[in-house]
Amino acid sequence: MIVDVLTPAGASPSSVAITFEVLSTANSILRGRRRDPAFAVRATGDAALAAIAFAGVHEPAPRGPAGLVIVPGLALASEAAVNEGLARPELVAACRTLTEAAASGSEIAASCSGVFLVARAGLLEGRRATTSWWLAPAFRRMFPNVRLDTAPLVVRDGTVTTAGAAMAQLDLMLALVARHAGADIAADCARYLVVDERRSQLPYMAISLLAASDVHVAQAEGWARSRLHEGIRVEDLSAAVGMAPRTFARRVESATGLSPVRFLQRLRIERALELMATTRASLEAVSHQVGYAEPSTLRRLLRAEGVTLPRRPPPGRGDPSLAAASSRVRAGDG
């Protein structure tokens, strides 16, 4: 398969390097097994020559149409940077390239802020996609017809595959290798590159950063963090900021991409992980401190979101302030 790595000026060097490195590793593994390489890779775009030199590519560029076009991250880390970047001539040209490639039958893949370019080309309308979690509010405002889901690291919808924040380019590439060269080759690539399996952006998501985009949601977040041990409910959040539950739900989803229940769960999970990493408290005591009467509830949520329990200091007498929280917990719905 011919693979075009679209590298306009400003493409993230690390993302470009990861793209070439994973595809090169996959080809090397295939050759070692006396099989033909799966990927014939070339760089396109304004920064193609620099990308080739940077990645150390020595093989001649293949001829013919690309079966896969990959957009690395574009090093646009804020809404203002995205808006400014998408207006640059090189990204306008890259947008046309993507539109033409998709029309000719090419598969499209992108990560991080590169997903904005794919969306601007109109290739994500009505599709499910992901992008960097902290850019989610901006993405939803700019492309309301895209079904954005920032929890997964990689999302495939038809011929378009998207991935989360910058280093999710690695997860994107492994997913593409698995699809086009086989799961065994992708697994070997991960071993050679010393990559642990990751499925979700949720463990890295900072709710406070997302909430900050809406003053009422930010107020609710601050109010909730100091009262998690009381077993507060979603209705308590909306009442605390003087909003009707439905209005509050719309504001939370617009700012964070989460329902109010999931928003409250994420606050509890963040606090639980912090306590487990910094105290000797038992899981039961931690669960009570974040508002869950049963440790099994917290454990189930952590497992569902792909969060691995951190290693903690050896068991001791525990933190009295955490243990005492158990008597104050009442059942909540978040």
Side-chain angles (χ1 to χ4, degrees):
M1 166 183 279
I2 296 178
V3 179
D4 278 348
V5 183
L6 184 57
T7 53
S12 166
S14 62
S15 193
V16 172
I18 286 170
T19 302
F20 280 100
E21 183 70 23
V22 173
L23 295 178
S24 175
T25 300
N27 282 340
S28 295
I29 292 170
L30 287 165
R31 290 190 188 98
R33 297 185 181 182
R34 299 185 179 180
R35 292 164 57 183
D36 292 334
F39 306 102
V41 188
R42 63 192 180 194
T44 62
D46 293 339
L49 292 178
I52 290 171
F54 178 74
V57 176
H58 304 295
E59 297 178 1
R63 295 180 179 274
L68 169 63
V69 179
I70 299 172
V71 185
L74 299 177
L76 304 173
S78 68
E79 182 172 3
V82 167
N83 280 313
E84 181 181 346
L86 291 179
R88 297 201 309 254
E90 61 269 25
L91 291 189
V92 172
C95 211
R96 288 196 298 269
T97 298
L98 286 175
T99 303
E100 293 167 1
S104 68
S106 298
E107 183 181 336
I108 308 296
S111 73
C112 198
S113 51
V115 179
F116 282 78
L117 189 65
V118 178
R120 177 57 60 86
L123 304 181
L124 289 175
E125 290 291 300
R127 294 184 188 267
R128 183 167 169 259
T130 191
T131 187
S132 302
W133 59 264
W134 70 87
L135 291 174
F139 191 96
R140 290 189 178 92
R141 285 190 289 271
M142 295 172 67
F143 307 108
N145 295 328
V146 179
R147 293 183 289 122
L148 190 69
D149 183 355
T150 52
L153 276 168
V154 179
V155 170
R156 181 186 182 187
D157 191 329
T159 57
V160 183
T161 305
T162 54
M167 290 301 104
Q169 182 74 14
L170 183 54
D171 304 272
L172 174 66
M173 296 311 304
L174 291 174
L176 294 172
V177 168
R179 188 180 313 155
H180 296 292
D184 58 328
I185 303 301
D188 281 348
C189 281
R191 279 192 286 270
Y192 275 108
L193 299 171
V194 195
V195 181
D196 292 328
E197 183 180 17
R198 303 176 299 174
R199 295 181 179 178
S200 175
Q201 293 192 94
L202 286 174
Y204 312 99
M205 190 178 290
I207 287 297
S208 58
L209 187 57
L210 295 175
S213 65
D214 185 296
V215 62
H216 290 94
V217 178
Q219 288 174 354
E221 181 229 353
W223 182 88
R225 282 190 185 276
S226 64
R227 295 170 174 82
L228 292 176
H229 61 281
E230 298 176 5
I232 57 175
R233 299 171 298 176
V234 167
E235 305 92 272
D236 300 324
L237 290 182
S238 57
V241 293
M243 301 184 80
R246 289 187 179 181
T247 302
F248 180 71
R250 287 195 296 270
R251 298 286 284 265
V252 170
E253 186 155 358
S254 176
T256 69
L258 304 172
S259 69
V261 170
R262 293 277 287 160
F263 174 71
L264 188 51
Q265 286 174 347
R266 284 301 307 168
L267 292 177
R268 287 179 166 141
I269 287 171
E270 281 188 6
R271 178 58 177 156
L273 290 174
E274 178 186 353
L275 291 171
M276 287 188 286
T278 60
T279 76
R280 298 181 180 181
S282 66
L283 183 64
E284 181 178 10
V286 170
S287 299
H288 292 158
Q289 180 68 358
V290 301
Y292 290 125
E294 297 296 332
S296 59
T297 303
L298 178 59
R299 190 184 297 277
R300 174 176 53 80
L301 287 171
L302 292 171
R303 187 183 303 115
E305 296 196 349
V307 177
T308 302
L309 290 173
R311 292 188 176 184
R312 292 183 285 163
R317 294 183 178 179
D319 186 329
S321 65
L322 298 186
S326 61
S327 63
R328 300 194 299 270
V329 175
R330 61 184 174 86
D333 63 350

